[in-house]
Amino acid sequence: GISVGNGEPFVTPATPEQRREQIRNDFYSKVVLPTGQGAAQTDDGPKRSNWTPLEKQVTEAKKLYPNCILMFEVGYKLRFFGDDAKIASQVLRIASFRDHNYLTASVPVVRAGVHILKLVQQGFKVGIVSQTEKAAIKASTNKQGPFQRSLTSIYTRSTISSASFPK
């Protein structure tokens, strides 16, 4: 067969759906995720001091729960970051984009149950990292810095039930 610059054979996909998937994968590998990991941690990328407070929280949470797709509560949205955003955009068919140093995607909190169920049905373990500090409390006490967040729920095929979804 014909080979592309990286030595891999190039095969034209048979169906339009396969072609779209190939284009999407090429786009992710060449444009959206040039570092290959979601977070720009390479020597030529942004240093940790250039990360936002939320990005630092994301990095710490991913170290603690590396085999979990984490959904971070940010206001009225649940956001995915890095590789989790890439997976979520493919499985949930939602848009993802670069925001500061991470690829990100988001869903509304009110639709969390629907999206959690789709991810779990595909075999993923899903964790919810909720804001443990609300805006009203933050306004009266700790006005500086990010909201405090912690893992509040983990969903798997064996633990999921319709009553356990966030409301």
Side-chain angles (χ1 to χ4, degrees), residues 12-16 18-19:
T12 304
T15 66
Q18 290 173 330
R19 179 70 183 136

Side-chain angles (χ1 to χ4, degrees), residues 89-106:
S89 74
Q90 291 173 345
V91 173
L92 304 175
R93 299 213 173 265
I94 59 175
S96 62
F97 56 93
R98 173 98 33 212
D99 185 19
H100 297 284
N101 300 311
Y102 273 107
L103 181 69
T104 185
S106 65

Side-chain angles (χ1 to χ4, degrees), residues 26-35 38 96-98 103:
D26 289 347
F27 175 75
Y28 274 121
S29 65
K30 294 176 185 169
V31 178
V32 177
L33 293 175
T35 63
S96 62
F97 56 93
R98 173 98 33 212
L103 181 69

Side-chain angles (χ1 to χ4, degrees), residues 32-98:
V32 177
L33 293 175
T35 63
Q37 292 299 318
Q41 299 176 19
T42 60
D43 291 334
D44 54 300
K47 302 295 183 226
R48 186 172 172 90
S49 63
N50 293 351
W51 291 1
T52 66
L54 176 59
E55 289 174 334
K56 291 176 184 177
Q57 287 180 337
V58 168
T59 303
E60 293 303 314
K62 283 307 286 181
K63 285 180 187 174
L64 294 172
Y65 308 100
N67 60 349
C68 211
I69 292 184
L70 296 178
M71 300 172 78
F72 288 81
E73 181 184 4
V74 182
Y76 294 105
K77 293 188 184 254
L78 290 170
R79 291 182 64 184
F80 302 91
F81 292 89
D83 290 339
D84 294 348
K86 181 179 179 182
I87 292 167
S89 74
Q90 291 173 345
V91 173
L92 304 175
R93 299 213 173 265
I94 59 175
S96 62
F97 56 93
R98 173 98 33 212

Side-chain angles (χ1 to χ4, degrees), residues 5 8-9 17 36 40 63 86 120 126 149:
E8 296 179 20
E17 182 61 36
K63 285 180 187 174
K86 181 179 179 182
V120 169
V126 180
R149 291 179 174 84

